[in-house]
Amino acid sequence: MSLRSKTRAGIIAFVASVLLGSYGTDGEEVCDNPLVYNLPPSSFRSSSQLSTSHGPGFAKVNRREGAGGWSPLLSDKYQWLEVDLQRRTQIAAVATQGRYGSSDWLTSYLLMFSDTGHNWRQHRQEDSLGAFPGNSNADTVVQYKLDQPVIARYLRLIPLDWNPTGRIGLRLEIYGCRYTSEVAGFDGKSSLVYRLSARTSWTASESISLKFKTLKNSGTLLHAKGQRDHSLNLTLEKGKLLLYHQQDVSSGSGGKLLVSLGSLLDDQHWHHVKLERLSTHLNLTVDKNMQQVHLPAELSHWHIHMLSVAAVQSHGLQTPILPNRNFHGCLENLLYNDLNLIRLAKQNSPQVTAVGNMTFSCSEPVFVAVTFTDSHSFFQLPVLTSWLSGTVSITLQFRTWNKAGLLLTFGLQQQEGSVLLYLSEARLRLQISKDGNTLLELSTGTGLNDGQWHSVELNSMENYLSITVDRDEGATAHISIPLLPTADSQLFFGGCPAQKGSLNCRTRSSVQGCMRLLKLDGQPVDLIKVQERRLGNYSDLKIDMCGIIDRCSPSHCEHGGKCSQSWSTFHCNCSNSGYRGATCHRSKYEQSCEIYKHKGDTSGHFYIDVDGSGPIKPQLVYCNMTEDQTWIVIQHNNTELTTVQASPDSNQHFASFHYPSEEKQLSAIIRQSEHCEQELSYHCKRSRLSNTLDGAPFSWWVGGPASGQIQNYWGGALPGSRQCTCGLQDNCLDSSFYCNCDADYDLWTEDSGLLTHKETLPVRSLVLGDIHRPGSEAAYRVGPLRCHGDKNFWNAAFFDKETSYLHFPTFHGELNADISFLFKTTSSSGLFLENLGIKDFIRIELSSATEVVFSFDVGNGPLEVKVKTERPLNDNRWHSVQAERNVKEASLRVDNFPATIQEAPSDGFIHLQLNSQLFIGGTASRQKGFLGCIRSLQLNGVTLNLEERARITPGVRPGCPGHCSSYASLCQNQGRCVEKTNGFSCDCSQSAYTGAFCHKEVSGSFKSTTSITYIVKEPYELSKNSSSLHSSIYSDITLRGEDISLSFRTSQSPALLLYVSSFYREYLILLINKHDELEVRYKLHSSRDVEVLSSQVMNLADGHLHTVTIRRQADTVSVQIDQNPKEDFNLTSDVDFNNIKSIILGRVPDSEGLNADLARLASVGFTGCLSGVRFDSICPLKAALLHPDSRVTVTSPLVASSCASASQADSYAAETTHSLSDQPHSVDPGQPLVNTIRSDSALVGGVIAVVIFIIACAAAIMARFICIRNETYRNQEVKAAQPDDIHEFPFSSQADSLSVRSENQREFFI
């Protein structure tokens, strides 16, 4: 190769290496060039230097000149190193290194940026943490890449910590690249107008982007005008950007606010703004935050015709329409779509017009601000000598979030006299005191803690004093004592040193905020001299910057919580949001009616939040818990049977159904439920539905999610079948049709049934067509939407090996993470959940039998939140865990034990960054997994499908039985818990009560003629010809003990409550005697006298509710009435109650065997109310009212009543729902009962009134304590007709107890 060729190749290689060093392979510039290496020494400044060889010019990475780096004179927190990059530059990374050959290096530092060398802005990671990690030795270079590149000319590094055995020592490098932009300046009177060229068609998207900086907190940034005088106006108001939709802007009205974003945007720093129109919605982005808003209907096909920048400009361009709203500041890189409008203005494009004195540069006034960072911050200045004459003038501006804090204080010549200017309750107050006594106090202003700049003027001359806020009328006073400071007095701004004990300012904290434009007697104070300690002094102060942060923008308060803040933290007011917690993240309400039921609640209205902490709002529903299934009932605007009214204007009748729940709420309920249904009934007389399978239907309905889809099947049939229930069952009135109504008979018939396919629910509208022929009549009913079964609540997995686990995709809970689940185990430890990141992690585990630990790390170091319980958690019962972590705190709750809460650091990392899989029940790396069941695991409101994963995972089984171990206590009043695959139910067959938890009393109102006879054993004559099975069921029953309970209310005295008879003329009677006292009469031997057990509780016939419990074991009888002390008695005649025949309530039809007095009382009957009657496992009143059969005989009227309910009223109003079959009216066969189905407020109100009346009745008068009657001696004589008693158990060998049935005994109720 020739020399010339070699030279050319070398040049090409050199150029290529340069290009490849600055650009990537795709041609895009790689912004990582070293920027400090070639800077001259004049580009470096510092707060001080240890010596000339330790100057800032030597602070270059890997350089050894001078002393090998920069070191300040003192190593303290007030030192800094500044670099001037000569022009605005894009900065991508910063690298630090210790001073060469020394023990001097930084371990952490802050970074500040500026365009002018003033008004510095601190760079923060994640908008919270400000500190950057430094070095661990003097030689290693540690580079930190900024999360977002910064555009600035100046960089200032402030040491925070350094090697404790050395001093501050630094070498640094800055990496970035060249930055170019087009800039325009506006003086508050100028603007720029862009007219779009005529377009041929509407475009689906438009975008406008720009950067701006300003010192003014208000002004019009953009005004985009389109067709029909509709416009969008982007305006700066009090430092926030507001987007308005306006029509006829000349009217001066503000228009409709679409969205608000950003805060403190008047800080004279660049802020990025982008406005995008994307078909049906707008995106507004301010810096890192974006909000989306749907376009108003008027703007659906709107586009921009003219764009005014910095003013609302008219077509004529003479003057702005609203001149007082013009923008004053600078704009950069103003783009409409990809068109740079400032560049077009420079090029004098005819489409762009500059109005007024618009410049192509950015003029920035220098306002030096100071930041009082904590309650001890202050700076001091000497008093002016001119003030010694009594004339004082001070002006300043401040901004803060705090309601209270000291702004200014100085001493007076009078002994211990002082002046205090401070904030209290967000008002400005001036106080003059002497010898500890307040001589004068003035106040002015309000709401001064709003973060805005507020100006203050304090003027005093001779006997006149005034303070003014924001140039409004302030407070003035005539004073007899002039403000005369001493010659050596100092002005303390923000606070005062602790050693200045003579000043009462030390009792007040400094205002945490910013101050600027300080003038004394009209002369500006040079705060840079204060920073350089050439004027006054300061402590805990940041000078030449305003470090105020809006912690409510963007707000971390979720679900509509209202954010308020102080200087160092924020607070969320969750009132009326339906959520709670530090950030209003966690819902107050359960996710389904099923969960309320398993907390012991009964039927009523409840708020449910189907997705927990997710975005769907809580909704009010009715929970029907009266059946085995728990139903969610959602009404709509018309659940009544409605006649169809023919309209002369239309051949069809249209009905629309509106639900109180939002679309997302309805869809979530249907999706989460195991089963949903909705009644659809059509009553017809010569009104057809489909007529033929192939033809177009006369009628149809619309159902399903969103707007729904047309459906042509009817209640009880299958989707798409075009049939009704009778067609599916092949029993229509006319077999040639698939619906009864299609037979077109001239008589009333119906096609009714339930719609059960969730994909087509709910019913949204109904269209009926065949209603206009002569003789056509029709009526319809669409019932409420009813759903039962919570797929999420019972979703469970059983881990039977310590090495087994389930895995799911990474959990994303960067700012808010809530985790809830239930578990049961017999193991003392195990891992519930774990998800890892590179450094971050989140974990919940059972660390011991009595402790659950929630641990995590978001970059601030591991944090543990522990709950220690009083009872062991490995008892194989269900226990709940709720863990939450947000930017403010972390909390952990186990069952109902007190929650443990730990606050997050106010200035730390806040994002939880995970990247591994989410492991449940163990991990691949940990040996000790969880043994037991985990159920209803939810992360941020989303339920993980444990059962689905468990089916394909070895060592894990889907589902988890054994719910009665935890929920059996919900079954009340002798109800028995029955296991189900998903949950449990209460068997009330042996209880006198009914309802989901055997909690609802069965009560009846008795008249004197009412009688209930329950046959316990039939006479032998009637059963001797029965089968052997029948004989065994009705075998002789002999008892050596009874368990009796009932409630009553009556004003009758004497009165018979209960009569139990025997074939051997034995009996047990419970009555109220003529003294209104309870008597229990036992006759357990036909030849012996009756034994009377009299209670000492009086006034039982007082019309109030009383509850009686009687228990007998052999000869020992205990009686308890209401809450009175239990009374004990002993029987003397016998202990066997033989061959029980019947149990009678009310009037006794056959009083054979009773004496005359008892026979007379038995014939009188009982007048009043009885409820909850139980004799061992027999419940005669319940059998008569709910399960009448051959064993129960009822004579005279027996009315079910709630008047005897002794339970507390439900917290929620109960509803009574009636169906068509409930109506007692006599109507034509098949004719619909129109408007007879009611569930309105009158009915609910009536039920509530009854419940309140019952509560009043339940407040029984407590009787005095009584003396136990003298014990009678037990007669050892045995009954001649019975064998000797040789058993130790309370029941004879002839039969089991009524409460413990033999295999062949009949079960009385179900």
Side-chain angles (χ1 to χ4, degrees), residues 1042 1080 1082 1084 1093 1109-1119 1126-1131:
E1042 301 87 36
V1080 183
Y1082 274 100
L1084 300 185
L1093 314 180
T1109 302
I1110 301 170
R1111 290 186 175 88
R1112 179 176 75 90
Q1113 291 288 332
D1115 62 338
T1116 301
V1117 181
S1118 67
V1119 178
K1126 187 171 62 174
E1127 302 171 80
D1128 294 322
F1129 304 90
N1130 280 70
L1131 301 179

Side-chain angles (χ1 to χ4, degrees), residues 38 44 54 153 230 245 259 294 324 327-328 461 508 594 610 622 644 749 906 919-920 992 1043 1046 1167:
N38 290 320
F44 297 84
H54 292 80
R153 174 176 174 175
H230 287 282
H245 167 221
V259 66
H294 285 280
N324 58 328
F327 172 76
H328 192 162
M461 58 184 66
R508 297 183 182 273
E594 187 96 358
V610 289
Y622 183 77
V644 176
T749 185
S906 59
F919 290 92
I920 307 299
D1043 189 350
L1046 60 85
T1167 302

Side-chain angles (χ1 to χ4, degrees), residues 558-559 577-580 584-592 595-596 607-619 664-665 668-669 671-672 790 792 817-820 882 884 936-943:
E558 300 184 65
H559 301 109
S577 70
Y579 296 82
R580 57 189 170 191
C584 310
H585 176 74
R586 191 171 65 255
S587 180
K588 291 181 179 178
Y589 308 109
E590 303 297 346
Q591 293 185 255
S592 68
I595 302 177
Y596 280 115
Y607 277 99
I608 64 171
D609 194 334
V610 289
D611 68 339
S613 59
I616 300 177
K617 299 177 182 178
Q619 57 187 311
K664 290 182 179 179
Q665 296 170 333
I669 286 178
R671 183 173 59 252
Q672 180 174 309
D790 185 346
N792 297 335
D818 79 275
I819 303 169
S820 64
Q882 292 179 328
E884 181 182 357
S936 188
L937 174 59
Q938 297 186 341
L939 285 77
N940 280 351
V942 178
T943 301

Side-chain angles (χ1 to χ4, degrees), residues 336-356:
Y336 171 75
N337 292 336
D338 293 326
L339 204 60
N340 193 315
L341 301 187
I342 298 177
R343 184 178 299 161
L344 289 179
K346 279 185 175 181
Q347 297 169 354
N348 296 318
S349 169
Q351 287 184 271
V352 180
T353 305
V355 181

